[in-house]
Amino acid sequence: MTPAAATMPPQRGFGETMRVDAWWKQPLLIFAGFAAFIIYSTWAAFQGTHYHFGPYLSPFYSPELFGDSPHAWFGPKPGWWPGWLLFSPALLILWAPGGLRLTCYYYRGAYYKAFWADPPACTVGEPRKTYLGERSFPLIMQNVHRYFLYLAIIFIFILTYDVWKAMWFADGFGIGVGTVVLAINVVLLAAFTFGCHALRHLIGGFRDQLSRSPTYPAYRCVSCLNRRHMLWAWLSLFWVGFADLYVRMCSMGIWHDLRLL
Ligand code: FES
């Protein structure tokens, strides 16, 4: 008996699909959400002012390596900084958490669809005929994700210390709305960071007999967060921007911080 000849389905043109649902809604919302965050965070990072208020420090500016606030680790802007180069403490450090998000497995899937239409959605035709994937330059660079994860974990500890400092006002211990805002920020960022796919692999995912591994309980914790990685990614993205906005508005005198304790 002669085997039937296999035929490939015809290649779809850009946007062509047999889907009848509103497949374009999700990439559109993701595009709008990412674009809003990128515009706001870039604007805030370049300001270089109104990033601290009392014991609060905006997470966009933490750790403040050099700067004018009392939170600066090494004092004011260094003398060797070129005069023609704009200085903002945020620009010295934001590349690290930004790099984590840029190379995150969830975000990659989301922004490849929303920004590059590659493809716009599952089973929807894309605007190009070739697929180089993440095994060639430039997307092979996404493999640095694990190193951004190491840095992000250090940032979680630094931001936790910021919350501790946010409890010490000029008149002693206290808790303000800003303290709560910064604390929620750390919780959400930690839930996002500790649910990372790369961490799940590192913590035991590479083993053949995971259940016998001493890291099994930790692996289960990471897996628990990992199941909602997309949710943590969005909540932490929104809240870190809001935390900066809160500190900024208080510093500008537009909002007034309420002391709870
Ligand atoms: S996969 Fe999202 S932070 Fe690592």
Side-chain angles (χ1 to χ4, degrees), residues 37 40-66 69-73 88-94 97 155 158-163 165-166 178-179 181-183 185-186 189 236-252:
F37 181 80
Y40 175 76
S41 58
T42 306
W43 174 84
F46 275 91
Q47 294 308 297
T49 55
H50 296 301
Y51 58 88
H52 61 98
F53 176 73
Y56 308 151
L57 176 63
S58 160
F60 283 177
Y61 285 76
S62 182
E64 184 185 4
L65 300 179
F66 297 99
S69 93
H71 303 271
W73 288 14
S88 167
L91 299 178
L92 299 177
I93 52 105
L94 264 192
F155 272 63
I158 294 171
L159 292 173
T160 304
Y161 181 57
D162 285 348
V163 174
K165 286 195 300 181
T179 316
V181 168
L182 294 179
N185 181 52
V186 172
L189 284 178
S236 60
L237 188 78
F238 169 77
W239 201 266
V240 75
F242 176 71
D244 175 85
L245 183 71
Y246 185 86
V247 174
R248 188 169 297 281
M249 291 293 109
C250 290
S251 168
M252 295 171 78

Side-chain angles (χ1 to χ4, degrees), residues 10-206:
Q11 194 154 20
R12 294 190 174 98
F14 179 40
E16 279 182 8
T17 182
M18 293 178 74
R19 289 176 62 169
V20 292
D21 62 325
W23 57 263
W24 45 269
K25 265 191 194 165
Q26 191 177 21
L28 191 65
L29 285 173
I30 290 172
F31 178 86
F34 284 168
F37 181 80
I38 290 167
I39 291 169
Y40 175 76
S41 58
T42 306
W43 174 84
F46 275 91
Q47 294 308 297
T49 55
H50 296 301
Y51 58 88
H52 61 98
F53 176 73
Y56 308 151
L57 176 63
S58 160
F60 283 177
Y61 285 76
S62 182
E64 184 185 4
L65 300 179
F66 297 99
D68 296 329
S69 93
H71 303 271
W73 288 14
F74 306 115
K77 182 175 99 172
W80 46 259
W81 191 265
W84 51 267
L85 192 58
L86 179 88
F87 178 81
S88 167
L91 299 178
L92 299 177
I93 52 105
L94 264 192
W95 56 270
L100 181 79
R101 297 213 183 236
L102 190 72
T103 58
C104 163
Y105 290 77
Y106 161 66
Y107 280 119
R108 273 144 70 174
Y111 72 75
Y112 288 177
K113 290 184 179 79
F115 282 77
W116 304 346
D118 196 12
C122 294
T123 74
V124 179
E126 50 193 309
R128 59 191 68 76
K129 306 245 180 302
T130 52
Y131 176 70
L132 297 176
E134 294 184 324
R135 299 182 67 181
S136 17
F137 188 81
L139 293 185
I140 198 168
M141 298 297 289
Q142 302 278 29
N143 285 323
V144 298
H145 182 63
R146 176 184 296 193
Y147 301 102
F148 282 119
L149 169 68
Y150 299 150
L151 288 172
I153 291 173
I154 297 171
F155 272 63
I156 295 294
F157 287 104
I158 294 171
L159 292 173
T160 304
Y161 181 57
D162 285 348
V163 174
W164 170 251
K165 286 195 300 181
M167 296 177 187
W168 295 95
F169 295 80
D171 58 351
F173 178 80
I175 291 182
V177 172
T179 316
V180 177
V181 168
L182 294 179
I184 293 174
N185 181 52
V186 172
V187 171
L188 294 177
L189 284 178
F192 169 61
T193 306
F194 292 119
C196 170
H197 293 269
L199 183 62
R200 191 161 175 260
H201 175 78
L202 283 171
I203 207 86
F206 63 93

Side-chain angles (χ1 to χ4, degrees), residues 212-225:
R212 293 192 179 178
S213 160
T215 59
Y216 187 50
Y219 174 83
R220 291 189 58 177
C221 288
V222 173
S223 298
C224 181
L225 292 170

